[in-house]
Amino acid sequence: MGNLFVKKPKITEVDRAILSLKTQRRKLAQYQQQLDAVIEAEKQAAKDLIREKRKDRALLALKKKKTQEELLKQVDAWLINVEQQLADIELTSKQKAVFESLKAGNNAIKAIQSEVNLEDVQKLMDDSAEAKAYQDEINAILGEKLSAEDEEEILAEFGNLESQIIDQDLPNVPTSVQSPEEHDEELDLPDVPTKAPVVPKVVADDAEVPTKQKVMEEPLPA
């Protein structure tokens, strides 16, 4: 029951023209085949008549063959025209489809543009600029945005800190010459004695010196 209400596609004049051309193309192709068969038959008949020494009949068969060949050339030309026309129709149909698509796209663009008012766009741009300026002003008040002078002070402080770090990383160099006293204090030397050294006790008693030694020490007489 539902199929009764299905809308059938509408057949246009273009569709009818295409159908007619395709029908003619099919008929011409069939006619070509028939002419090829007749031409081949007349050619074979002429061969047979020549073998039979029937020259007149052979010439007549060749004339018929020639006539069919001329007709075949005409059919070939008709078929080429039909093919060309079908190709033109197909190309024109595609061009029309492209044109309709471009037209629909252009209408869509116009419809969208009609919904946008230039004054509204300008007002939106102005509001955005005002909002940005207002935010910049708030940032400046809250100190989130530094001035040019602040930037210079920060750079100068950075340079000073960098110099201090470099100085701290260098080895220490003595700035004064040490005195001999200070140098001696740093050397681990023994203490200087403050008392005279004790000489061992020598026996002075001449009596205790052997007689022989005493005689040797006396000077000889002159």
Side-chain angles (χ1 to χ4, degrees):
M1 294 295 292
N3 293 334
L4 296 176
F5 299 99
V6 176
K7 186 177 180 180
K8 295 181 179 181
K10 183 179 179 180
I11 299 175
T12 62
E13 294 296 329
V14 176
D15 296 332
R16 292 190 179 92
I18 293 174
L19 179 60
S20 177
L21 289 171
K22 289 183 177 180
T23 303
Q24 290 298 324
R25 182 178 62 183
R26 184 178 69 254
K27 290 181 178 181
L28 289 172
Q30 294 174 356
Y31 194 25
Q32 280 180 327
Q33 295 176 358
Q34 293 175 4
L35 290 175
D36 288 335
V38 172
I39 292 171
E40 188 63 29
E42 293 295 342
K43 182 179 180 180
Q44 186 62 42
K47 290 180 180 180
D48 294 339
L49 291 171
I50 291 173
R51 291 190 186 96
E52 295 174 0
K53 306 297 182 182
R54 300 172 65 180
K55 182 179 179 180
D56 295 339
R57 299 290 296 178
L59 291 174
L60 180 59
L62 292 175
K63 289 180 180 180
K64 290 181 179 180
K65 173 179 171 294
K66 184 64 174 176
T67 302
Q68 297 300 318
E69 288 176 348
E70 293 296 330
L71 183 57
L72 181 60
K73 290 180 181 179
Q74 188 64 39
V75 173
D76 290 340
W78 293 342
L79 187 59
I80 291 174
N81 291 332
V82 172
E83 292 286 356
Q84 184 63 43
Q85 197 163 15
L86 283 171
D88 293 340
I89 292 174
E90 184 179 1
L91 179 60
T92 305
S93 298
K94 291 182 178 180
Q95 289 176 347
K96 182 181 178 182
V98 173
F99 172 76
E100 293 296 335
S101 299
L102 294 175
K103 183 179 179 181
N106 190 28
N107 292 334
I109 292 174
K110 289 182 179 180
I112 295 173
Q113 290 177 346
S114 63
E115 297 177 358
V116 179
N117 190 355
L118 294 179
E119 295 180 357
D120 295 338
V121 174
Q122 186 62 41
K123 186 176 183 301
L124 177 62
M125 297 299 294
D126 295 339
D127 294 341
S128 299
E130 292 178 359
K132 185 178 183 302
Y134 182 73
Q135 185 63 39
D136 292 341
E137 185 177 355
I138 292 177
N139 293 338
I141 294 174
L142 295 178
E144 296 179 0
K145 187 175 181 181
L146 299 177
S147 63
E149 295 179 356
D150 295 334
E151 295 287 346
E152 292 179 358
E153 291 180 359
I154 291 173
L155 292 176
E157 184 178 1
F158 174 82
N160 293 331
L161 292 176
E162 187 177 20
S163 300
Q164 293 177 7
I165 292 173
I166 294 174
D167 293 339
Q168 291 175 0
D169 293 340
L170 293 176
N172 294 327
V173 178
T175 57
S176 60
V177 179
Q178 293 181 345
S179 61
E181 292 77 6
E182 294 178 351
H183 182 70
D184 293 339
E185 290 178 358
E186 292 181 358
L187 296 177
D188 189 8
L189 298 176
D191 296 336
V192 177
T194 57
K195 297 180 180 181
V198 178
V199 179
K201 183 177 181 182
V202 179
V203 178
D205 191 358
D206 294 338
E208 294 179 2
V209 178
T211 307
K212 186 179 180 178
Q213 182 178 4
K214 186 174 181 182
V215 171
M216 292 178 65
E217 292 179 354
E218 291 180 356
L220 295 176

